[in-house]
Amino acid sequence: MNSIRLLLPRRARGWMLLLLGMVLVLPVGLFAQAAGGLHGVVADPSGAVVPGADVTLTQGGVAAHSQSGQDGSYSFRGMPAGTYAMGVQAQGFAPFTQQGVAIVAGQTKEMNVALSIAVEKQSVTVTSHPNTVSVNPDQNASAIDLQGSDLDALSDDPTQLATELQALAGSGAGPDGGQIYIDGFSSGQLPPKSSIREIRINSNPFSAEFDKLGYGRIEIITKAGSNKLSGQVLSIGTDSALNTANPLVPAQPDYYFYELIGNLSGPMSKEASYFFNGLRGSLQNESIVNAINPQDTNSTVRQLVPNPLVLWSFSPRVDVELGKNNTLTLRDSFNWNTSTGNGVGTLKLAQQASNSGSEENDFEAGDTMVVNDHLINETHFSWTRNRTYQTPLYGTPSITVQGAFTTGGSSAGVNQDHQDNFELQNDSTLTEENHTIRFGTRWRVHRDANYSTTGANGSYIFQSIPHYLAGTPDQYSATAIHNPLARAIVTDGAFFYQDDWRWKPNFTLSYGLRMEGQNRISDHVDWAPRLAIAWAPGHWGKNPPKTVVRAGYGWFYDRFTVPVNSTAPPFIISAIHGNGINQQDYVVNNPDFYDPASAVPSADLSANDASIPVIYSVDPHFRANLFMQSAIGVDRQISKRITFNVTYLQYRSIHTFNSDNITAPGFDPSTYTVIGSQPSVYRYQFQSGGTWKQQQIIATTSARLPKLSLTASYTFTEAKSDTLGFSSFPSVPQDPSLDFGRAVWGNHNRYFMLASYAAPWKITIAPLINGFSGAPYNITIGNDLTGNNQFNARPTYGTCGAPDVVSTRYGCLDTNPVGKGEKITPYGLGTGPANFFFSLRVSKSIGVGPRIKGENGGPAFQGNPSVQSGGLSGGQARPKLDAAVQRKYSLTFVAAAQNLLNIVNLGSPNGIMTSPLFGKSQSVDTGGATPGNRAILVQAMFNF
């Protein structure tokens, strides 16, 4: 029965595990149990675990039962020796049976089960997933597992859904927010909620299988097809007439938002099924400008600029059983969108607008093979094809007055970007007594061809309004385009080994190692060790433990490829564009010319003695960004259905990405004076010399009551950094530590709650709360006083009442500190306003059409009345119906409110002291996809 031993002798098997994980799995006999037993993992055709599956062992009419946990694991202990018949049943899957399962006294057998697709009746209902604590590595109480009715509180619009998931997970993910994986891949568009089966957040945060930070990781698993024809049509929309006005404009902007979403699922044959999802959206949005009026600088302009968006999305999926132990999944996703009036808002006036569009095709193929009782192998391939374009409406020079307004043509220019992303994964799961071992590899290829005329129209920068009125710009910059096309191929690969070792019934040791590497940088190989423990003190019984202590430590890396969760070109493309050959950037400080109607010819710039060329490059010592994460926490079972967790997290990042002007003159911070003269050429480098540190305390609770499902978390954060990424230049190139201060993402306090309540009359109420204290923001004087060719100099602490000293809530700040010997203010001195969002969804479902009869002709729904039908059915979410007897069809009506309390949540204040708008917020965070302060959305859904 133990087929792995038939494939390899013990010594060869040990050496194989040694090579994979650099550890030797101990002999089987060392971990043998005193009583016979059986345990394993229940998984679906894609390899995802299946919680809540009923597992039965039968012998001579006597049956023993077990249920798979949140991690899909089940176990039988103390079973008499003999031969048993095994059966597994789970909603949405065909029943699994296996005869002749032998249990030997003194041994524990591992047997993983891969369920196949099944025909499901419309009447099938499931209960909430288990809510217990465990020493299993992916059953940490700080994790969030959303499925079935838990998804009710989330938006059906993919764009808004992504925002909500980032809010739910981003508090533990550092500056970049949570990384989203869709069916195991880190690329591709977020699918509509109707095609999502499950969402996992923060699950098994120290697993070597993943490359990104564990806290903040979002895993989305889409639905497979079913063997019975079913479908759903959903429409959702809002109009400005339903919503409250934006407080920054005198009149309510005219806009609307509408989406039509549909899906269809059914059989193709006995061995195959399909799931098809389509979406069409139309958003007539308005961008809001709140800036100083260039025509009358004593007044402000509050302007509404149309910003319509049209999008289409189609996503077919096919699941095929190639054999008893082999399942093939094919999924394709097509996405198109066009938008006009982009790039406008806050301080950017209507002349900055551009039109854009994108096309994406994401093809995925996956094969899951059950090799034998101990080994499952999964192969996944993805090809994502992105095509984007952007065209500005005006070609005149861009004009910026620091902290006041930006007008003229967009400096972004014409951009066309063609990307192809290929990803191949091969992962295996091996069970060997008390060990669950995962090992595998990943290979990615990113090909990019980018056409860009960025900066060709020229740009004028004014330090202040008086300089603008006098027509004396402080800087002029432009790009001479010799070759607008840049191409690059970026590749990276990784190998990992992960062993979750159930050393004792109350103690699990998880350890792993990951190796990553890529081209285009000198740092070719990076090792990422991972270690975690889960200990239930004093627990030795068969029932789940009440308390589990967890701790972990791991290294994670950011690759030098594309920005996180973005389809923007890789950073290497910017270096190729600006290498001084393809394109040549020029900077003229304090120019003696000013023509807002046309750009200066490149020949005149190259001949101008005051013109300084700018060349971009990658630091030859560039390294991948290393994140070191550690955590210690306690999971506690408060009651049968309520768990609580508190975790202390510490992050440290070294080799954090930044940019720097390596030819800038010296600077003396004690006197605030530049040492030396300006160079003959500015050399900008993409570097990895930054750092950030973060500490957090996260408290989470989860309740799965008969009528209420609730997840809530509170996070306290203390974060400091000296860089914001590649767009960030240090104020003093020779001393980046001078900018080490409060990080702009480091809101001290954050609270999040997601709930779903089954109210009387079959009404579902789903609130969502997201509140956070003010974020730090930087205060500058809108000038380049440090010689780095950046307008990011900070003020100093001056003498109150002295010339150029402004009295603020943060002290008396000197806007002209040169030569005075005053102390420079710290980075991130300001604190923005606190925000609070309360959103609510109320839904009502009505059964229509003929009743669904049970097998004996009676009503199909006669189970526990507390069981709701919002779970998984044939791989498809069902709404809660209106009666105890189910109908063949159903109608569901939803009313949703974003920012229900109509609280005005202001954005980060203007931090430029020379601006008339200093200390004021020019934007409002509405918490939704519309410019209205409170948005009411209505929704109708038909299920068949």
Side-chain angles (χ1 to χ4, degrees):
M1 293 300 295
N2 198 338
S3 55
I4 192 67
R5 291 180 172 83
L6 298 177
L7 293 174
L8 291 172
R10 177 173 298 178
R11 182 178 298 275
R13 185 172 68 254
W15 280 108
M16 179 188 72
L17 297 180
L18 176 64
L19 291 174
L20 290 171
M22 299 184 179
V23 291
L24 182 62
V25 176
L26 297 179
V28 175
L30 182 61
F31 304 106
Q33 302 296 314
L38 180 73
H39 63 86
V41 175
V42 182
D44 69 5
S46 68
V49 299
V50 177
D54 293 321
V55 185
T56 305
L57 290 180
T58 305
Q59 183 187 55
V62 179
H65 298 274
S66 179
Q67 188 177 70
S68 61
Q70 286 183 332
D71 60 347
S73 66
Y74 73 92
S75 66
F76 293 90
R77 299 184 183 276
M79 298 294 295
T83 301
Y84 292 79
M86 182 180 186
V88 182
Q89 291 189 341
Q91 306 298 339
F93 302 97
F96 173 89
T97 59
Q98 177 70 50
Q99 301 293 327
V101 177
I103 293 182
V104 181
Q107 296 185 12
T108 299
K109 178 184 178 67
E110 275 78 30
M111 184 171 177
N112 294 322
V113 177
L115 300 180
S116 58
I117 306 162
V119 175
E120 288 292 337
K121 297 180 180 180
Q122 296 277 15
S123 60
V124 172
T125 60
V126 298
T127 60
S128 299
H129 45 81
N131 195 38
T132 60
V133 299
S134 168
V135 294
N136 293 331
D138 57 353
Q139 205 168 337
N140 48 303
S142 59
I144 300 172
D145 189 2
L146 304 176
Q147 53 182 293
S149 61
D150 295 340
L151 299 171
D152 286 348
L154 298 175
S155 174
D156 290 278
D157 170 46
T159 302
Q160 181 63 18
L161 176 62
T163 301
E164 293 170 351
L165 292 178
Q166 290 287 2
L168 183 59
S171 61
D176 292 325
Q179 174 69 46
I180 297 178
Y181 294 84
I182 302 171
D183 289 332
F185 294 102
S186 56
S187 61
Q189 294 280 349
L190 188 72
K193 191 179 75 174
S194 58
S195 65
I196 295 175
R197 193 192 77 190
E198 185 178 1
I199 300 175
R200 303 169 186 164
I201 299 175
N202 300 340
S203 177
N204 200 358
F206 292 99
S207 171
E209 182 178 354
F210 296 94
D211 57 345
K212 297 298 182 182
L213 289 172
Y215 287 91
R217 184 174 64 238
I218 303 167
E219 300 172 66
I220 294 176
I221 304 170
T222 60
K223 296 174 183 175
S226 63
N227 285 26
K228 192 169 186 177
L229 182 66
S230 60
Q232 181 185 89
V233 178
L234 180 152
S235 63
I236 179 173
T238 186
D239 189 272
S240 55
L242 299 175
N243 306 328
T244 59
N246 190 298
L248 297 183
V249 291
Q252 169 75 302
D254 186 19
Y255 59 88
Y256 65 82
F257 164 68
Y258 173 77
E259 277 185 349
L260 179 66
I261 304 173
N263 63 68
L264 187 67
S265 178
M268 299 178 64
S269 67
K270 290 183 178 180
E271 293 79 23
S273 66
Y274 66 87
F275 184 94
F276 176 83
N277 196 90
L279 179 149
R280 199 273 184 183
S282 179
L283 172 62
Q284 179 59 53
N285 205 354
E286 298 280 351
S287 298
I288 297 177
V289 175
N290 183 16
I292 296 296
N293 189 345
Q295 310 303 322
D296 179 9
T297 57
N298 293 318
S299 65
T300 59
V301 54
R302 297 187 175 187
Q303 189 178 22
L304 296 172
V305 180
N307 182 210
L309 169 69
V310 176
L311 57 91
W312 294 84
S313 176
F314 301 98
S315 186
R317 169 173 170 162
V318 175
D319 295 89
V320 182
E321 292 185 35
L322 301 180
K324 181 180 179 181
N325 298 324
N326 197 356
T327 303
L328 175 68
T329 298
L330 301 175
R331 179 175 176 265
D332 210 340
S333 178
F334 304 88
N335 299 276
W336 301 268
N337 74 74
T338 58
S339 181
T340 61
N342 294 323
V344 177
T346 312
L347 299 180
K348 294 185 176 182
L349 275 64
Q351 292 86 349
Q352 288 280 295
S354 61
N355 298 336
S356 66
S358 69
E359 300 178 4
E360 179 182 292
N361 181 25
D362 182 15
F363 171 76
E364 297 175 4
D367 180 80
T368 301
M369 178 180 294
V370 180
V371 180
N372 53 47
D373 293 347
H374 292 261
L375 183 63
I376 297 177
N377 182 262
E378 306 165 68
T379 302
H380 300 279
F381 171 77
S382 171
W383 172 25
T384 302
R385 178 181 181 271
N386 287 300
R387 302 293 185 262
T388 62
Y389 69 87
Q390 175 180 282
T391 305
L393 298 184
Y394 299 93
T396 56
S398 174
I399 301 170
T400 298
V401 178
Q402 291 290 305
F405 62 83
T406 298
T407 187
S410 171
S411 60
V414 176
N415 277 271
Q416 296 180 12
D417 191 62
H418 292 186
Q419 297 183 24
D420 290 281
N421 297 285
F422 302 91
E423 183 170 344
L424 178 64
Q425 302 174 5
N426 185 267
D427 302 330
S428 296
T429 302
L430 174 67
T431 58
E432 182 70 14
E433 290 298 328
N434 291 357
H435 295 258
T436 299
I437 300 168
R438 289 274 293 172
F439 56 91
T441 182
R442 182 191 71 186
W443 185 261
R444 296 188 299 192
V445 178
H446 179 93
R447 187 203 67 84
D448 191 282
N450 181 265
Y451 177 99
S452 174
T453 63
T454 298
N457 61 323
S459 178
Y460 292 96
I461 297 180
F462 295 87
Q463 173 189 342
S464 63
I465 291 290
H467 286 204
Y468 170 73
L469 295 176
T472 56
D474 294 272
Q475 186 182 92
Y476 175 79
S477 63
T479 302
I481 309 294
H482 306 300
N483 179 9
L485 184 62
R487 294 185 175 93
I489 295 178
V490 182
T491 64
D492 67 88
F495 300 90
F496 79 90
Y497 173 89
Q498 176 74 25
D499 182 8
D500 297 324
W501 177 19
R502 191 70 170 264
W503 180 43
K504 294 182 179 180
N506 69 334
F507 190 94
T508 297
L509 172 65
S510 300
Y511 59 94
L513 186 65
R514 186 179 182 89
M515 188 281 286
E516 299 180 5
Q518 71 165 98
N519 68 340
R520 293 286 183 175
I521 62 176
S522 59
D523 174 29
H524 292 301
V525 178
D526 298 298
W527 296 97
R530 314 283 171 84
L531 179 67
I533 64 169
W535 171 49
H539 173 73
W540 299 98
K542 296 181 180 180
N543 295 325
K546 295 294 185 181
T547 302
V548 175
V549 178
R550 296 181 182 272
Y553 179 79
W555 287 12
F556 303 82
Y557 291 92
D558 265 355
R559 311 313 313 172
F560 183 55
T561 52
V562 298
V564 175
N565 298 332
S566 172
T567 58
F571 300 113
I572 188 66
I573 289 291
S574 299
I576 295 173
H577 276 310
N579 59 10
I581 300 174
N582 288 7
Q583 300 179 10
Q584 181 63 71
D585 294 350
Y586 292 96
V587 169
V588 182
N589 292 313
N590 302 311
D592 56 1
F593 55 85
Y594 175 50
D595 183 2
S598 61
V600 178
S602 58
D604 294 345
L605 284 174
S606 60
N608 192 324
D609 293 337
S611 180
I612 303 176
V614 179
I615 297 176
Y616 290 81
S617 65
V618 179
D619 185 353
H621 304 292
F622 192 96
R623 297 182 61 86
N625 187 4
L626 169 60
F627 300 90
M628 293 172 282
Q629 175 179 285
S630 58
I632 184 169
V634 177
D635 299 345
R636 176 64 182 177
Q637 188 80 39
I638 303 299
S639 67
K640 183 179 180 180
R641 300 178 181 270
I642 301 175
T643 61
F644 175 79
N645 164 270
V646 60
T647 299
Y648 170 76
L649 293 167
Q650 187 177 71
Y651 306 83
R652 185 187 175 199
S653 171
I654 60 175
H655 312 307
T656 309
F657 302 147
N658 68 293
S659 295
D660 204 356
N661 183 353
I662 62 174
T663 57
F667 178 78
D668 184 359
S670 64
T671 60
Y672 220 115
T673 55
V674 175
I675 303 173
S677 59
Q678 291 291 338
S680 59
V681 60
Y682 287 128
R683 295 189 180 274
Y684 291 168
Q685 261 191 4
F686 291 130
Q687 297 182 345
S688 54
T691 184
W692 61 267
K693 297 179 180 179
Q694 179 172 305
Q695 298 183 81
Q696 290 185 318
I697 297 176
I698 302 178
T700 61
T701 187
S702 175
R704 296 293 182 266
L705 306 177
K707 293 187 177 182
L708 175 67
S709 175
L710 181 146
T711 298
S713 67
Y714 165 77
T715 303
F716 175 81
T717 300
E718 185 75 40
K720 292 186 177 182
S721 73
D722 60 9
T723 178
L724 299 178
F726 283 118
S727 62
S728 175
F729 283 77
S731 59
V732 179
Q734 297 80 12
D735 188 11
S737 64
L738 192 66
D739 292 343
F740 190 77
R742 297 198 302 163
V744 297
W745 72 85
N747 306 74
H748 273 320
N749 302 286
R750 183 180 292 270
Y751 176 77
F752 193 95
M753 188 200 74
L754 186 71
S756 177
Y757 173 67
W761 300 292
K762 302 296 179 179
I763 294 175
T764 300
I765 302 174
L768 184 152
I769 295 175
N770 184 22
F772 44 90
S773 59
Y777 67 95
N778 197 29
I779 295 178
T780 68
I781 52 181
N783 201 353
D784 173 23
L785 296 181
T786 66
N788 68 343
N789 198 40
Q790 305 295 317
F791 288 74
N792 60 359
R794 297 195 301 278
T796 59
Y797 289 107
T799 302
C800 295
D804 302 317
V805 175
V806 179
S807 178
T808 72
R809 58 180 294 192
Y810 307 108
C812 295
L813 307 182
D814 194 341
T815 60
N816 187 21
V818 177
K820 296 181 181 179
E822 300 167 338
K823 183 180 179 181
I824 300 176
T825 59
Y827 189 95
L829 178 63
T831 301
N835 285 184
F836 181 84
F837 299 94
F838 177 72
S839 299
L840 186 68
R841 288 166 55 89
V842 179
S843 63
K844 168 70 174 177
S845 291
I846 302 173
V848 294
R851 296 182 179 184
I852 296 179
K853 300 295 184 179
E855 295 181 359
N856 297 322
F861 185 70
Q862 293 181 336
N864 187 342
S866 68
V867 176
Q868 304 297 325
S869 57
L872 304 178
S873 178
Q876 183 161 336
R878 300 294 179 200
K880 299 173 176 62
L881 301 182
D882 191 43
V885 177
Q886 287 192 344
R887 305 279 180 169
K888 187 174 183 180
Y889 313 113
S890 70
L891 279 172
T892 302
F893 300 96
V894 179
Q898 297 172 351
N899 192 19
L900 177 64
L901 302 181
N902 202 33
I903 296 173
V904 176
N905 292 294
L906 296 174
S908 183
N910 191 317
I912 300 178
M913 295 191 64
T914 54
S915 169
L917 301 173
F918 171 68
K920 301 177 181 179
S921 296
Q922 278 84 62
S923 63
V924 174
D925 188 349
T926 63
T930 64
N933 196 53
R934 177 177 60 207
I936 304 296
L937 294 91
V938 294
Q939 178 177 319
M941 179 170 58
F942 175 69
N943 281 265
F944 60 91

